[in-house]
């Protein structure tokens, strides 16, 4: 829209009579004053848009060169900030102007480019709230989805993507939906879902705006899925299109590593051997050295790989490279049985655990090394009764962490044969010894002899049950069978009256659960567990079955008698008298009468309150009887201490292939 010209504010000659001359002059002055103001509005927006477009050109140039768009800085950052300020000036000085939605969109997109995602979200929310039919709705939904993705609000991101797909099924941004969905799954490390989304995006061909970058991320997904040959194929296609640059270098480096894993070290050597100059240019010499170390290890030259990594220059050790080098060296030191140094390397590696190939395994080994080294230190001055347990810890680390079953078997044998070992430690040590011989050392005769000894010495242990099971099974299976047997015995020990009461209680609880109350099946289950924990031979069932959460009938009768003042009934030690209310009248109203003055149904008769004591108001003289001693507040009953099940430790016993 152009500014109104000056001539348009002037009336044509002879149009109006002489009596309206003053009015015409006033109108002309008003229009002349408004024209510059109108120009100012459009000039402000024009300057904001000009600054934004100048910043965008830097991004567009990088994309044309197949580079990742740079993070805004310098002049580009200043241009985005200028666009934000100019657009805000338009909104402040000219509220309700026809360019308001343009200004909001410009601010939101500029904040997105500056990676101020939360500020961008606020601007887009204002745009959606005030201009739901704006011409920028299509792109705004797409950018809002990206905003929420980048702050970790993945559910909200998917919501906006769904709105975009429903409102604009033929959107020019629709092709980007799969890419953003892939980025969501990639961030969640859902590699299979990310692989599918990226594959659909790449199937668009030339319509995929970021095809090469997405191809690299697809290859990373395939790497995580251990589909190395497919990753090699994807990267090969990408490298045919991409010109030299950082993206091409990253693709070649990953392809070299994929070729190593795919079993083609010769091709990997040829590819990695030509990357020295590119690695130096992109300051990635450490990453290239890591890839060459993996290649040497794959060829069986483990010592050469360790030497290469240990001699790496300090300037190559970025935080990520340092962590990955420490991870590889930790595994190498572990095979050399240098446990203290391996522990130190794993601690360094876990400083960047998200960048490790298998962070869970590294963390587990680090914990086992810590326990092993602590046990080794404590053994020097340990008392006799602690020695078997410390050896058991070391044996567990040897068998399940360090892959030394023979040494683990020796330690298990020493712990089991130690006369200071209690029944729990000895049973677990024998079970570990059985695992080592049967599962790792392939000594079935020795394993059978150990199983016989375990069954003879500890016939009731869960470990003895597992080694004696003909079809195998896990510890959970044995515990479930044991619980069922105990419940059957407990149920058989109940009298007919107790059984009928139990069935009535279970039925009532189930009916209440169907009506929406928070029990039912859970109440019946609690009752079954309660029964299972009571040994019928040692603790016979009580004569009166008390419902869970209820009161004993005799105790309830005693409390009722105490409240009503019946003679001959004295409160027990846990039945204290409730303290009076805030005043005599308040107590009577609360316990003797209803709020409307009628008798309360709590007590049959209203209680007689004692006469007030203390000085009479305004006299200083005492009135009534002396003030009785203030009753002590009733203490909350303490929960009875739960007796420890002598077999509690069986829950920590191993299942198939687990620790003893």
């Amino acid at each position: 829209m152009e500014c109104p010209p000056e001539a348009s504010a002037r009336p044509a000659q002879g149009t109006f009579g002489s009596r309206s001359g003053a009015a015409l002059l006033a109108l002309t002055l008003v229009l002349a004053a408004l024209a510059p103001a109108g120009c100012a509005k459009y000039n402000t927006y024009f300057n904001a848009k000009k600054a934004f477009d100048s910043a965008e050109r830097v991004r567009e140039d990088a994309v044309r060169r197949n580079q990742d768009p740079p993070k805004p800085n310098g002049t580009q950052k200043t241009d985005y900030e200028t666009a934000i300020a100019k657009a805000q000036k338009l909104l402040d000085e000219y509220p309700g102007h026809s360019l308001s939605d343009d200004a909001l969109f410009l601010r939101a997109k500029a904040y997105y480019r500056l990676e101020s995602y939360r500020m961008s979200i606020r601007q887009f929310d204002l745009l959606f709230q005030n201009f739901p039919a704006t011409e920028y709705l299509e792109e705004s939904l797409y950018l809002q989805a990206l905003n929420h993705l980048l702050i970790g609000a993945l559910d909200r991101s998917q919501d906006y993507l769904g709105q975009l797909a429903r409102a604009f099924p033929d959107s020019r941004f629709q092709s980007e939906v799969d890419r953003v969905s892939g980025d969501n799954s990639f961030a969640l490390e859902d590699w299979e879902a990310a692989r599918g989304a990226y594959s659909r995006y790449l199937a668009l061909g030339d319509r995929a705006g970021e095809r090469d970058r997405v191809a690299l991320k697809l290859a990373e997904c395939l790497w995580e899925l251990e589909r190395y040959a497919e990753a090699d194929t994807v990267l090969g296609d990408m490298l045919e299109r991409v010109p030299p640059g950082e993206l091409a270098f990253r693709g070649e480096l990953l392809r070299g590593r994929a070729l190593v894993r795919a079993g083609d070290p010769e091709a990997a050597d040829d590819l990695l051997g030509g990357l020295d100059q590119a690695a130096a240019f992109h300051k990635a010499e450490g990453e290239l050295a890591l890839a060459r170390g993996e290649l040497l290890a794959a060829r069986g030259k483990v010592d050469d790989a360790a030497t290469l990594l240990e001699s790496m220059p300090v300037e190559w050790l970025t935080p990520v490279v340092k962590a990955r080098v420490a991870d590889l060296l930790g595994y190498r030191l572990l095979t050399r049985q240098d446990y203290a140094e391996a522990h130190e390397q794993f601690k360094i590696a876990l400083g960047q655990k998200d960048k490790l190939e298998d962070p869970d395994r590294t963390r587990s080994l680090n914990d086992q090394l810590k326990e092993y080294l602590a046990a080794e230190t404590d053994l020097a001055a340990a008392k006799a009764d602690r020695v078997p347990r410390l050896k058991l810890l070391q044996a567990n680390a040897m068998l399940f962490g360090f892959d030394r079953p023979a040494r683990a078997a020796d330690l298990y044998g020493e712990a089991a044969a130690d006369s200071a070992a209690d029944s729990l430690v000895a049973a677990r040590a024998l079970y570990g010894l059985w695992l080592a011989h049967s599962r790792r050392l392939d000594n079935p005769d020795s394993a059978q002899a150990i199983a016989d000894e375990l069954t003879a010495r500890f016939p009731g242990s869960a470990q003895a049950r597992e080694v004696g099971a003909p079809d195998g099974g896990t510890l959970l299976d044995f515990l479930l069978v044991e619980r069922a047997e105990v419940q059957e015995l407990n149920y058989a020990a109940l009298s007919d009256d107790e059984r009928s009461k139990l069935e009535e209680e279970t039925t009532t609880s189930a009916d209440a659960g169907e009506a929406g109350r928070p029990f039912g099946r859970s109440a019946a289950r609690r009752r079954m567990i309660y029964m299972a924990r009571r040994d019928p031979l040692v603790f016979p069932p009580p004569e009166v079955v008390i419902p869970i959460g209820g009161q004993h009938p005799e105790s309830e009768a005693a409390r009722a008698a105490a409240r009503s003042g019946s003679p001959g009934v004295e409160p027990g030690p846990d039945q204290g008298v409730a303290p009076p209310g805030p005043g005599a009248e308040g107590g009577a109203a609360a316990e003797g009468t209803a709020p409307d003055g009628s008798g309360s149904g709590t007590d049959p008769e209203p209680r007689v309150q004692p006469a007030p004591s203390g000085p009479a108001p305004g006299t200083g003289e005492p009135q009534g009887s002396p003030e009785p001693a203030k009753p002590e507040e009733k203490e909350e009953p303490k929960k009875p201490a739960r007796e420890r099940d002598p077999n509690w430790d069986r829950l920590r016993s191993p299942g198939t292939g687990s620790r003893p």
Side-chain angles (χ1 to χ4, degrees), residues 30-311:
V30 169
L31 291 176
L34 288 177
C39 289
K41 300 176 188 178
Y42 292 99
N43 286 338
T44 302
Y45 178 75
F46 173 80
N47 291 330
K49 188 70 167 60
K50 180 180 177 181
F52 181 85
D53 291 341
S54 175
E56 286 288 279
R57 278 194 289 272
V58 179
R59 286 179 52 86
E60 294 167 0
D61 292 342
V63 172
R64 276 196 297 269
R65 295 193 300 268
N66 291 309
Q67 297 177 353
D68 289 337
K71 183 176 180 178
N73 55 34
T75 304
Q76 184 189 18
K77 181 180 179 182
T78 302
D79 285 340
Y80 281 129
E81 292 171 346
T82 300
I84 291 173
K86 293 288 186 182
Q88 185 61 48
K89 181 180 179 181
L90 177 66
L91 295 172
D92 291 341
E93 297 183 1
Y94 310 105
H97 192 268
S98 60
L99 291 173
S100 296
D101 61 332
D102 302 76
L104 281 172
F105 175 76
L106 198 65
R107 282 173 56 81
K109 193 170 182 179
Y111 275 125
Y112 169 77
R113 296 298 195 213
L114 290 172
E115 300 181 5
S116 298
Y117 303 119
R118 296 184 187 278
M119 289 297 294
S120 180
I121 287 173
R122 294 190 187 101
Q123 300 303 310
F124 278 127
D125 286 342
L126 288 173
L127 180 64
F128 297 148
Q129 181 179 359
N130 293 282
F131 304 96
T134 177
E135 60 181 305
Y136 302 106
L137 181 61
E138 180 181 350
E139 186 176 0
S140 298
L141 289 171
Y142 169 69
L143 292 176
Q144 190 75 316
L146 293 181
N147 278 329
H148 285 286
L149 167 66
L150 293 168
I151 66 171
L154 303 182
D155 292 341
R156 294 288 293 158
S157 178
Q158 291 291 0
D159 288 343
Y160 281 105
L161 289 176
Q163 292 182 46
L164 175 63
R166 291 189 297 271
F168 303 95
D170 298 324
S171 169
R172 62 191 180 96
F173 296 104
Q174 194 61 41
S175 60
E176 300 295 313
V177 171
D178 284 325
R179 182 182 65 81
V180 179
S181 298
D183 289 342
N184 284 349
S185 300
F186 193 94
L188 291 171
E189 298 185 358
D190 187 349
W191 309 119
E192 184 58 39
R195 183 203 63 79
Y198 287 146
S199 298
R200 291 191 298 272
Y201 180 77
L202 292 176
L204 298 172
D206 295 336
R207 290 182 296 160
E210 299 185 39
R211 181 167 59 166
D212 298 330
R213 186 189 69 83
V214 170
L216 180 60
K217 299 195 78 171
L218 173 59
E220 292 176 2
C221 293
L222 293 169
W223 169 275
E224 296 291 344
L225 294 170
E226 300 182 3
R227 295 160 67 168
Y228 305 115
E230 295 181 43
D232 174 44
T233 302
V234 171
L235 291 169
D237 294 339
M238 183 199 80
L239 292 171
E240 291 179 359
R241 300 186 305 267
V242 180
E246 184 174 3
L247 188 63
F249 169 72
R250 294 295 172 189
E252 290 174 333
L253 185 62
L254 182 58
R255 190 183 186 191
R257 298 182 64 200
L259 288 169
V260 171
R261 298 295 179 91
D264 193 352
E266 288 76 16
D269 193 8
D270 293 340
L271 182 60
L272 296 175
L275 295 181
D276 294 275
Q277 186 175 357
F281 181 79
H282 297 291
K283 300 186 183 301
E285 299 96 334
E287 297 178 55
L288 181 58
L290 274 170
R292 287 174 173 166
E294 293 176 355
L295 176 60
L296 289 172
R299 287 176 164 175
K301 301 178 181 180
V302 181
D303 292 335
D304 292 344
T307 302
L308 173 65
L309 298 178
E310 290 172 346
S311 61

Side-chain angles (χ1 to χ4, degrees), residues 344-419:
E344 293 300 321
Q345 293 295 332
F346 282 142
K347 286 196 296 185
I348 296 173
L350 289 172
Q352 294 282 336
K353 59 184 177 181
D354 294 339
K355 305 300 181 181
L356 303 181
E357 186 168 344
D358 192 350
D360 293 335
R361 185 185 177 202
T362 299
R363 186 185 302 106
S364 175
L365 283 174
N366 183 64
D367 293 341
Q368 290 170 345
L369 283 167
K370 182 179 179 180
E371 292 180 359
Y372 177 86
L373 293 172
E376 188 176 50
T377 302
D378 293 344
L379 272 173
K383 295 182 180 179
D385 58 342
R386 288 197 63 207
V387 171
R389 186 174 294 276
L390 294 174
K391 288 185 176 180
L392 180 64
L393 289 174
Q394 288 188 313
N396 286 339
M398 287 289 177
L399 182 61
F400 300 104
F402 308 161
D403 196 23
R404 297 186 61 194
R407 177 56 181 157
D410 293 340
L411 290 170
Y412 282 132
E414 293 174 9
D418 196 324
S419 59

Side-chain angles (χ1 to χ4, degrees), residues 467-525:
V467 300
D471 300 327
T474 64
L475 178 61
L476 177 61
D477 298 332
F478 302 132
L479 293 177
L480 291 175
V481 172
E482 182 184 59
R483 188 185 71 171
E485 293 174 354
V486 172
Q487 288 176 349
E488 290 178 3
L489 291 173
N490 286 336
Y491 189 76
L494 294 175
S495 65
D496 294 338
D497 186 43
E498 290 170 337
R499 290 184 189 179
S500 61
K501 289 183 178 179
L502 177 61
E503 292 174 358
E504 180 181 356
E505 174 194 339
T506 304
T507 303
T508 303
S509 299
D511 293 340
E514 292 175 0
R517 299 188 61 182
F519 47 85
R521 289 187 178 182
S522 59
R525 177 174 173 77

